[in-house]
Amino acid sequence: LTLIDLPGYIQLASLDQPESLKEKISSLCERYIREPNIILAVCAADVDLANSPALRASRKVDPLGLRTIGVITKMDLVSPEQGASILAGNRYPLHLGYVGVVCKTSGKKGLKESMEVVARRGNDYFRTNKDVFYSSSSLMVGTDTLRKRLMEVLESSMASSLHGITNSV
């Protein structure tokens, strides 16, 4: 499993950026979101998914949402009910689903926190709102769940390709 963190799509280049930057980022991302790669479409919870450049790009190459996992960040910036509604995926269904995360640092300047501490803070948020997020077993939340989901998808992908490899051997 290799995760490639691509730069985020930009709408407009700022004054200190070259005009060609938007096209360069788009072409770089297009190279990596082709089949058979799994797409992690990272979107903020406080932005309408219809305006998400990551979801728009994934829809072009994966119109049925078979290879796309939606990762919804900043879940703590919307009401728990709105967050649960986003994760349900009714408006923009994805076969691999959506995982909600809160990856917020404490905000103290100069303090480097481990991913474990940041993940614990996110888990605390979801536990605090357990009546919303854990009432439905289909909602996936937390960085641990994201890790497990990625491993499930990797194992499934490997299993489906083993048949072809076995036949070739």
Side-chain angles (χ1 to χ4, degrees):
L1 175 65
T2 302
L3 289 175
I4 301 170
D5 184 13
L6 298 169
Y9 290 97
I10 59 172
Q11 305 308 309
L12 297 169
S14 64
L15 295 176
D16 61 338
Q17 297 172 327
E19 281 295 318
S20 62
L21 184 62
K22 181 179 177 179
E23 290 78 30
K24 286 181 178 180
I25 289 174
S26 291
S27 67
L28 176 67
C29 291
E30 286 171 13
R31 190 172 359 151
Y32 285 100
I33 63 175
R34 294 187 187 136
E35 281 194 66
N37 295 341
I38 301 301
I39 303 164
L40 292 181
V42 180
C43 315
D46 62 340
V47 176
D48 183 14
L49 292 185
N51 296 322
S52 165
L55 275 177
R56 244 182 289 135
S58 75
R59 288 274 184 217
K60 285 182 188 175
V61 296
D62 183 28
L64 299 176
L66 300 175
R67 299 182 297 114
T68 303
I69 299 173
V71 179
I72 308 299
T73 63
K74 303 178 183 177
M75 291 289 294
D76 57 328
L77 297 184
V78 297
S79 70
E81 293 76 18
Q82 185 180 358
S85 173
I86 294 168
L87 296 180
N90 296 329
R91 287 187 63 195
Y92 305 97
L94 296 175
H95 179 71
L96 299 177
Y98 290 89
V99 181
V101 295
V102 176
C103 295
K104 184 184 275 186
T105 61
S106 67
K108 296 177 184 174
K109 291 184 179 182
L111 179 65
K112 289 187 177 182
E113 295 179 304
S114 71
M115 279 304 296
E116 184 178 297
V117 171
V118 174
R120 192 173 327 120
R121 194 171 290 118
N123 291 338
D124 290 345
Y125 169 77
F126 293 118
R127 253 192 254 95
T128 301
N129 298 289
K130 66 182 172 201
D131 55 320
V132 176
F133 292 112
Y134 296 124
S135 64
S136 170
S137 62
S138 63
L139 295 183
M140 297 184 284
V141 295
T143 53
D144 285 339
T145 302
L146 177 59
R147 180 184 53 77
K148 289 174 188 169
R149 185 70 181 131
L150 289 171
M151 289 306 297
E152 289 169 2
V153 170
L154 172 64
E155 289 169 0
S156 174
S157 175
M158 289 172 60
S160 66
S161 65
L162 282 178
H163 184 68
I165 293 171
T166 305
N167 288 343
S168 296
V169 171

